[in-house]
Amino acid sequence: MKMILRNDIKYRVMKIINTLSVLFFLLFAVACTSESDTIMNDIDKEVETTTEKVAVFDISFMSNVIDTKASVSEDDTESKDNEARVAENAISNCFIAALDAENNVVSSFVYEGKEDFTQNGNIATINNHMIIKVPANTPPTLRFYAVANLYITEQYTSSIKGELLGCKTLSAIQEVVFNDEAPTVLVKVGCSEAYSNYKTGTSINSDTYTEVTIPVTQRSAAIELAEFKVVDSNKDEIKEVVVKSLQLLNMKEKAKVGGEYEDSNKNKPQESCRYHLEDDCVNESGYHFSSFKDIRFYAYDNTSDAKTSLKIDYTVNGVFYSRTYTIKTPATNGYTESVVGGKLYQLYVTVGAVSEDIQFKVNDWIPNKIDLGEIEGTLK
């Protein structure tokens, strides 16, 4: 009996010693890793050098400096374009998921807070690494899916942050609904190409760093009145025309990460704020509008029966008029009355004594790129 008890005590002591040894190793590994590193998919556990390796990704975000807003009036000022571009290109946080060839989530993380980013013009760099543990012999081909600009402030964190982190597949991510992210939050979504043969190693150091680029597009659409003219019966332009206010009608304020949110009970089209140009017009970001060309509306996808439209109130020689125009998207056979995310809609309106001429110019909105840098591997 004494022998059994003695062996039991000896076994427990050895178990405690082994546990302490493992804890010591983990503390040592964390101490050797930058405090800003993002520890992914059990990388905090010891790497099995014969079967596992680590891959480290340096992440930055780069907005494309090419402005697709090619059709503007000659008197449109650069200040409007620059002001809009700064707001629309900005990235304040980002959810990133690493996907394998079957679109399963290998690992994911949300980078948030001003301390996580360095902004320099059109480039936002994340101040840490994304670290993933992969099989040593057959590292999976990876793609990186990004959802940038969740609604996160010092006082509030978006309800979908935890939902995105809990997703196990790409399809699950794309089904997540933006509950807090209004169109004006300017969420951006995109996925990289598939990469293989990225750098790996048995420890976290510069030899294992790789960089990848994720092109992302605006999730909402932008809508603006680019030109508004009234002509007389001789088709001469009337100069005494004043646009008094603009309002976007039947705009959808919710969307899914990967498509239109069609729940009619929870996503009823709403009216936007009416911008009165005769007053000191200021939008929610504090921008002043001295002309209708300074106003840009944002809305999510809408193919419902309640069509998104732009209401224009104006006067001609002091007489009040109002016009409403449904937003249209180019289709195979002309146009469809719809709004598609990622598009920039510009309305050129000429009101005549007999008829009206309405031209829609629809472009891909200013794209952005999330740059994870140069990767030394095979682009599939």
Side-chain angles (χ1 to χ4, degrees), residues 170-241:
L170 174 59
S171 60
I173 293 173
Q174 293 177 327
E175 286 296 313
V176 172
V177 177
F178 297 127
N179 290 314
D180 302 308
E181 289 72 18
T184 52
V185 174
L186 300 174
V187 175
K188 301 164 180 55
V189 175
C191 189
S192 76
E193 297 289 342
Y195 290 92
S196 62
N197 296 336
Y198 42 83
K199 299 177 184 178
T200 60
T202 56
S203 61
I204 301 171
N205 55 60
S206 58
D207 292 334
T208 58
Y209 294 177
T210 56
E211 302 173 343
V212 177
T213 298
I214 306 176
V216 295
T217 58
Q218 306 282 1
R219 189 59 197 84
S220 55
I223 301 168
E224 64 184 23
L225 179 62
E227 185 176 84
F228 185 80
K229 295 189 297 184
V230 178
V231 297
D232 59 23
S233 57
N234 297 319
K235 295 188 177 181
D236 294 325
E237 183 176 357
I238 299 174
K239 300 300 182 182
E240 293 75 21
V241 175

Side-chain angles (χ1 to χ4, degrees), residues 18-52:
N18 290 336
T19 301
L20 290 174
S21 298
V22 172
L23 289 174
F24 176 78
F25 173 82
L26 291 176
L27 290 172
F28 178 78
V30 172
C32 293
T33 304
S34 169
E35 290 183 359
S36 61
D37 286 348
T38 302
I39 306 300
M40 312 295 289
N41 70 336
D42 292 334
I43 194 66
D44 54 329
K45 297 179 182 178
E46 182 179 1
V47 175
E48 297 289 344
T49 56
T50 58
T51 60
E52 297 173 326

Side-chain angles (χ1 to χ4, degrees), residues 87-88 148-149 151 178-188 217-223 248 250-256 267-272 284-285 296-302 308 339 341-343 365:
E88 292 168 359
N149 289 353
Y151 185 70
F178 297 127
N179 290 314
D180 302 308
E181 289 72 18
T184 52
V185 174
L186 300 174
V187 175
K188 301 164 180 55
T217 58
Q218 306 282 1
R219 189 59 197 84
S220 55
I223 301 168
L248 196 65
N250 294 331
M251 56 170 286
K252 280 195 173 182
E253 295 187 322
K254 289 187 178 183
K256 295 190 293 186
N267 195 26
K268 294 180 180 179
Q270 305 291 323
E271 294 184 358
S272 73
E284 60 271 19
S285 298
R296 180 174 285 184
F297 294 96
Y298 303 100
Y300 281 130
D301 312 65
N302 185 11
T308 301
V339 173
K343 299 293 185 182
W365 195 7

Side-chain angles (χ1 to χ4, degrees), residues 78-92:
E78 272 189 36
S79 61
K80 174 193 174 183
D81 289 340
N82 292 337
E83 190 175 77
R85 186 182 302 163
V86 168
E88 292 168 359
N89 286 341
I91 294 176
S92 58

Side-chain angles (χ1 to χ4, degrees), residues 110-333:
V110 173
Y111 300 88
E112 60 181 284
K114 293 181 179 179
E115 67 280 359
D116 284 339
F117 293 86
T118 299
Q119 191 83 35
N120 183 15
N122 66 318
I123 298 175
T125 302
I126 296 179
N127 302 324
N128 54 13
H129 307 302
M130 183 174 183
I131 307 169
I132 303 174
K133 185 166 65 175
V134 297
N137 296 328
T138 57
T141 296
L142 293 177
R143 292 189 303 154
F144 296 86
Y145 193 88
V147 183
N149 289 353
L150 305 179
Y151 185 70
I152 298 176
T153 67
E154 293 181 358
Q155 292 77 30
Y156 184 80
T157 297
S158 172
S159 60
I160 71 169
K161 174 185 173 181
E163 191 173 352
L164 287 170
L165 289 171
C167 291
K168 303 301 181 183
T169 63
L170 174 59
S171 60
I173 293 173
Q174 293 177 327
E175 286 296 313
V176 172
V177 177
F178 297 127
N179 290 314
D180 302 308
E181 289 72 18
T184 52
V185 174
L186 300 174
V187 175
K188 301 164 180 55
V189 175
C191 189
S192 76
E193 297 289 342
Y195 290 92
S196 62
N197 296 336
Y198 42 83
K199 299 177 184 178
T200 60
T202 56
S203 61
I204 301 171
N205 55 60
S206 58
D207 292 334
T208 58
Y209 294 177
T210 56
E211 302 173 343
V212 177
T213 298
I214 306 176
V216 295
T217 58
Q218 306 282 1
R219 189 59 197 84
S220 55
I223 301 168
E224 64 184 23
L225 179 62
E227 185 176 84
F228 185 80
K229 295 189 297 184
V230 178
V231 297
D232 59 23
S233 57
N234 297 319
K235 295 188 177 181
D236 294 325
E237 183 176 357
I238 299 174
K239 300 300 182 182
E240 293 75 21
V241 175
V242 179
V243 175
K244 291 292 187 178
S245 68
L246 295 179
Q247 186 176 22
L248 196 65
L249 306 177
N250 294 331
M251 56 170 286
K252 280 195 173 182
E253 295 187 322
K254 289 187 178 183
K256 295 190 293 186
V257 171
E260 181 178 3
Y261 182 48
E262 299 179 354
D263 190 324
S264 59
N265 293 322
K266 297 182 180 179
N267 195 26
K268 294 180 180 179
Q270 305 291 323
E271 294 184 358
S272 73
C273 171
R274 176 184 284 121
Y275 292 122
H276 297 275
L277 292 165
E278 67 268 33
D279 301 327
D280 186 17
C281 190
V282 182
N283 75 351
E284 60 271 19
S285 298
Y287 298 139
H288 289 253
F289 300 132
S290 58
S291 165
F292 66 81
K293 296 176 183 177
D294 295 334
I295 297 175
R296 180 174 285 184
F297 294 96
Y298 303 100
Y300 281 130
D301 312 65
N302 185 11
T303 61
S304 71
D305 293 335
K307 307 299 183 183
T308 301
S309 57
L310 183 65
K311 182 180 180 182
I312 307 168
D313 292 338
Y314 64 100
T315 59
V316 179
N317 292 320
V319 180
F320 179 83
Y321 297 90
S322 183
R323 294 285 188 276
T324 301
Y325 303 101
T326 301
I327 305 303
K328 299 179 180 181
T329 302
T332 304
N333 299 316

